Amino acid sequence: MSAWGFRRPVAVWTRSGGMRLFAAIALGSALVAVVQIWRTPVPDVLLQERPEQSVRVLDRRGRLIREMRRSDGSFAQPVRLDELSPYVVPALLAAEDARFNRHFGVDPWAMGRAAVQAVWQRRIVSGASTLTQQLARTVQPRSRDLRGKWSEIRSALAIERALPKERILVEYLNRVEFGPNVRGIEAASRRYFDKPARQLSLAEAATLVSIPRGPTLYDPERGLERVRRRRDRVLSRMQDRDLADAATIQRALTEPIRLQARPPERTAWHFTRALTTRLLPRSLERGRVSELRTTLDASLQREVETLVRDAAARLRSYDATAAAVLVVDNTNGDVLAYVGAPDFFSAAALGQNDGVLALRQPGSALKPFVYALALERGMTPASLLPDIELHFPSGAGDYSPRNYDGRFHGPVRMREALASSLNVPAVYLADRLGVPAVLELLRAVGFDSLSRDARHYGAALALGDGEVRLDELASAYATLANGGTRRPLRFVLGARDAQGARTTFPEARGERVVQEVAAEQVTHILADDLARAASFGRDSALAFSFPVAAKTGTSKGFRDNWAVGYTRARTVAVWVGNFDGRPMRGSSGITGAGPLFHAAMQAAMRGLVPEPLFDAGAYAVREICPLSGLLAAADCPHRALEHFALSSAPTAPCAMHARIPVDPSNGLRAGPACTGSISPVFESYPQQFMSWATSAGRPVAPTEWSPRCRPLPIREAELAPAVAYPADGSKYFIDPSLSPDQQQIVFVGRAASEAGLRFVLNGRVLPGTAARRVAWPLTRGRYLLHVEDTVGRASDPIHFDVF
């Protein structure tokens, strides 16, 4: 009786009743287990066709450049059973699961053996996990306790129930860790032995299947002795189970483990990243590609990377930290070398920025395409262009371009203007040709980044007032190298997917975007070392022992240096600067990017036989006067040879040199009756250049007559005065940043007589009667100007505008 008055129950135990209870509990537990096992699904990841893989990036000859890791940071290359060495599966079964073909996912015999050994030895001697269990915990990580072990067993049984043994082997060999960050035997084979798994020897296969037992412990790169001992145990088990003949195993036991040194992965980082982000052909799915055969030449890539790193040390003196280089095969548009920065891993230099794809102002590097358009419109390399003070309207007000050297050079031939990279003639041409037409051509040759309208850029587009990429610049210059035929750049030759299917990418068909004659004439100018000598000197970084057409560019504020050029076979484009936009110090395209361009071009042409840039025999060669660009005449003091298209060769002689009689006593003009006169050669300029010629001290013929050498009576029209400057229809723009006294023009009058002149502007006589020159401050308005001499003769009026 209890303290509370209740009678205690009497426990009755009988042998038969206890056994029935135990049996009931065991049966119930078994039923629960069976239900759990039956309801356990196959891990979803095993239902995929193949696991995610890393991508092997090869060069054009099949040499490994880099292997791009999977999203989890590991390397993986799935294979099929028929792609393996015949030694792999026997070695794996000997190492991990000799009863694989006889169990159903869990091996009770192995579990019992492991338990007995653990009790007897008081430590874990052998594992009991089957291959299927190892696969289960690889694809579905578990906790390291009894509950986790039970989950692993259920998953293993579910896998065995759903998948055939061959599929389980494939999944194991592709998913299990065969070394730190190495998934699958194929990736391990390439990492440690630099060969596919189908080429593994017995010793190598036994070595690799030894690693999954402890991927870090048996990592061959951390030491060979431990993995060698485990390999030998695997080989002994194979012999015990008759999985290989004794002689073969004995040879394998004596074979040393020879790891193949892997090339460092610090190569083509910008290129491989660009492949995955924007350069991969659209038909390829990133997750399904296992191998990419690219257009790169691995040897040239490594050499150019070295050149860029060496250049970075030199560029520090210019306060520049970044450089990028692209090398292109002109025949097919293949990119042979791609370097985005000196050091991908330099945080200080912002090295993970890609100078090939960065948008930067190209400076004068766009000029050749302006001149190509002018040549298409009928101009020639000898056409005269103005390099004088000019004013152009722009969105920000008046725009007056200046040259790099701060001087004006008067009338210059197109060859001089382009080769010496003069700014004023290029802007003049862009304005004359029409900025929309210039922009259209730039887009046609590949500058897709110039996406704004023509009004946004204005005539300053000729000087690089827009942002482009280095790959666009290389493609555009390769178009010139190909005689005006554009071929898009190609980065990938072919690919292999996870199933082994291959895809090839043929070179794109060329499209003519620049007239062949225009492209070849621009090429001839860019290859003329003599023509650019005035600005760059002889034997500069753009000069080579073989034909090279080249151009430099420097952006506003010295933030970007460019050098780009081509042979018949190769185009090389170089950018130098700072990724943070900081200006460089004392550096231009020729001094900053030029030396790197020279070295990269030498590397790109190594082993090639240089060819002429184009067929010069298709052009007419004429001796011209360098001042006028016309055929040299008897009085021309200098001569030069120029190449013309057959349809545009000049026929008129030079008219800018003439012998004029002067009185040696005073240098004034002498009439026919003057005794002792001399006739030196003078220069005669079109009206728009007269002001420049006078201020530059050019040998212009005098306009006044010597008092003792009066001319014979001449016609009245020849005595009439005229306005020498400004030219009729001129336009001037007031610069709001300058004070009024800094903005004036000088009116110049001309008269054959000795009579004085007065200037009449909009009906008002300006101060300075009897003078031939009058300074006048710019004032907005529309004006009519003429001159009168003191005897009443008046010139024809001219008009001009001030904005």
Side-chain angles (χ1 to χ4, degrees), residues 421-457:
S421 197
L422 301 178
N423 289 341
V424 179
V427 176
Y428 167 82
L429 269 183
D431 182 73
R432 177 179 171 183
L433 296 168
V435 178
V438 173
L439 184 58
E440 182 181 1
L441 179 61
L442 290 172
R443 289 171 178 166
V445 298
F447 291 107
D448 296 330
S449 296
L450 297 174
S451 57
R452 307 290 291 272
D453 60 32
R455 288 176 297 177
H456 171 79
Y457 300 110

Side-chain angles (χ1 to χ4, degrees), residues 505-529:
F505 300 94
E507 61 186 77
R509 298 181 61 181
E511 176 188 6
R512 172 150 317 273
V513 293
V514 179
Q515 290 179 8
E516 184 175 20
V517 170
E520 291 181 348
Q521 288 182 311
V522 166
T523 296
H524 194 269
I525 294 172
L526 295 181
D528 191 341
D529 194 48

Side-chain angles (χ1 to χ4, degrees), residues 5-63:
F6 296 108
R7 186 180 301 275
R8 295 180 182 274
V10 178
V12 179
W13 175 264
T14 64
R15 178 179 297 274
S16 60
M19 293 189 67
R20 285 196 298 270
L21 178 62
F22 178 80
I25 294 173
L27 180 60
S29 298
L31 289 174
V32 170
V34 169
V35 170
Q36 286 185 331
I37 291 171
W38 186 259
R39 297 182 62 183
T40 300
V42 177
D44 290 340
V45 68
L46 294 180
L47 300 179
Q48 301 172 2
E49 290 184 5
R50 279 198 173 189
E52 181 190 357
Q53 56 203 315
S54 50
V55 181
R56 289 171 52 82
V57 181
L58 312 178
D59 85 336
R60 61 191 305 107
R61 295 181 178 86
R63 295 173 292 187

Side-chain angles (χ1 to χ4, degrees), residues 668-683:
L668 300 179
R669 293 177 71 112
C674 186
T675 59
S677 65
I678 59 174
S679 299
V681 175
F682 290 98
E683 295 175 357

Side-chain angles (χ1 to χ4, degrees), residues 380-383 412-420 521 524-526 528 531-532 641-643:
T380 75
S383 295
V412 293
R413 288 174 292 126
M414 180 185 290
R415 178 174 292 274
E416 298 174 283
L418 175 54
S420 292
Q521 288 182 311
H524 194 269
I525 294 172
L526 295 181
D528 191 341
R532 60 174 167 250
L641 296 179
E642 184 58 87
H643 289 68

